[in-house]
Amino acid sequence: ETGVTQTPRHLVMGMTNKKSLKCEQHLGHNAMYWYKQSAKKPLELMFVYNFKEQTENNSVPSRFSPECPNSSHLFLHLHTLQPEDSALYLCASSQRDRGESGELFFGEGSRLTVL
Amino acid sequence: GQNIDQPTEMTATEGAIVQINCTYQTSGFNGLFWYQQHAGEAPTFLSYNVLDGLEEKGRFSSFLSRSKGYSYLLLKELQMKDSASYLCAVKDSNYQLIWGAGTKLIIKP
């Protein structure tokens, strides 16, 4: 138990579906992250929220839409995805001070398969 | 460009010692992390090095040489539960984490 909970753990969707991934952290951290993890590739940072404000968006296609209603919850809304978007999506949190981030605490991920 | 290199896969024997290397080329350096990730689970923090030298934590140690852009993770007295992927990540001058692709460690009896 890392203090970061992700749901659902597994998701299968068609290319025309709309679904959402949810992340909740119970650690009192002020920053939350979405990462994409594909086999044998480095973790790809998608979005960063610092005190609920999006601070980074690493050229992610618009079919991925993040939402951070408060500092404990983070969503990733999915729409019109492509098969190459199939991957493990990891949420993480950290305590970020003065632009410097501490160690990341990860959730167990949502395994997404796009048919 | 920024780059982190680590071996894709390594195999070791239970009870032995294994060293997983990580070399990096980044724009600036503000620390290096090692994470462990068991299959189907979350990556979990193992170690953080910001100064040169060896940091020891139980059976695991991590070494850093900033001048050589090099780190290693040393695992002693290997146990079957150490079978996992080990991720190296460097914090660059903007405090962004640059990740390696991970090293899958297979432990054999």
Side-chain angles (χ1 to χ4, degrees):
Chain A
E1 177 59 51
T2 63
V4 180
T5 304
Q6 289 187 242
T7 55
R9 293 290 312 276
H10 299 274
L11 178 62
V12 179
M13 58 187 290
M15 290 192 286
T16 58
N17 291 157
K18 288 184 183 180
K19 298 285 184 183
S20 296
L21 306 181
K22 178 183 176 182
C23 177
E24 183 174 0
Q25 60 102 353
H26 312 277
L27 301 169
H29 289 160
N30 58 16
M32 295 187 77
Y33 310 75
W34 279 117
Y35 278 93
K36 177 181 179 183
Q37 187 175 39
S38 302
K40 300 183 179 180
K41 288 187 176 180
L43 287 176
E44 298 175 46
L45 179 64
M46 300 175 72
F47 302 104
V48 182
Y49 278 82
N50 198 9
F51 289 106
K52 301 194 308 179
E53 300 297 321
Q54 185 176 313
T55 56
E56 289 167 55
N57 175 346
N58 283 8
S59 303
V60 178
S62 59
R63 57 186 183 267
F64 294 93
S65 173
E67 179 189 0
C68 189
N70 56 60
S71 57
S72 297
H73 293 84
L74 186 65
F75 295 89
L76 187 63
H77 303 300
L78 315 170
H79 175 50
T80 322
L81 295 191
Q82 305 297 310
E84 60 264 29
D85 297 322
S86 297
L88 182 68
Y89 289 84
L90 290 166
C91 173
S93 70
S94 74
Q95 187 60 29
R96 200 167 187 177
D97 300 307
R98 303 182 303 279
E100 177 177 347
S101 58
E103 70 181 83
L104 295 175
F105 290 77
F106 287 90
E108 294 191 327
S110 294
R111 172 69 63 185
L112 173 65
T113 303
V114 181
L115 301 175
Chain B
Q2 308 202 87
N3 193 51
I4 308 285
D5 284 317
Q6 49 181 134
T8 303
E9 187 173 300
M10 299 181 72
T11 302
T13 304
E14 190 176 15
I17 299 173
V18 71
Q19 177 175 311
I20 302 174
N21 295 326
C22 171
T23 58
Y24 62 89
Q25 299 93 40
T26 57
S27 54
F29 178 85
N30 278 299
L32 184 144
F33 292 85
W34 284 97
Y35 284 80
Q36 180 191 59
Q37 185 178 22
H38 286 101
E41 297 184 12
T44 55
F45 170 79
L46 284 178
S47 67
Y48 174 65
N49 294 67
V50 65
L51 299 176
D52 290 350
L54 189 68
E55 295 276 345
E56 297 186 73
K57 195 185 291 187
R59 294 189 297 115
F60 292 11
S61 303
S62 56
F63 172 83
L64 174 67
S65 169
R66 287 172 296 170
S67 62
K68 295 182 179 178
Y70 169 69
S71 172
Y72 67 73
L73 182 68
L74 191 71
L75 291 74
K76 301 177 183 176
E77 301 170 17
L78 286 170
Q79 302 175 10
M80 297 303 292
K81 67 179 182 179
D82 298 329
S83 292
S85 289
Y86 292 86
L87 311 179
C88 175
V90 171
K91 205 185 294 184
D92 69 10
S93 57
N94 294 319
Y95 297 99
Q96 302 299 314
L97 273 177
I98 312 301
W99 293 85
T103 299
K104 182 178 180 181
L105 178 64
I106 300 169
I107 309 298
K108 295 186 174 179

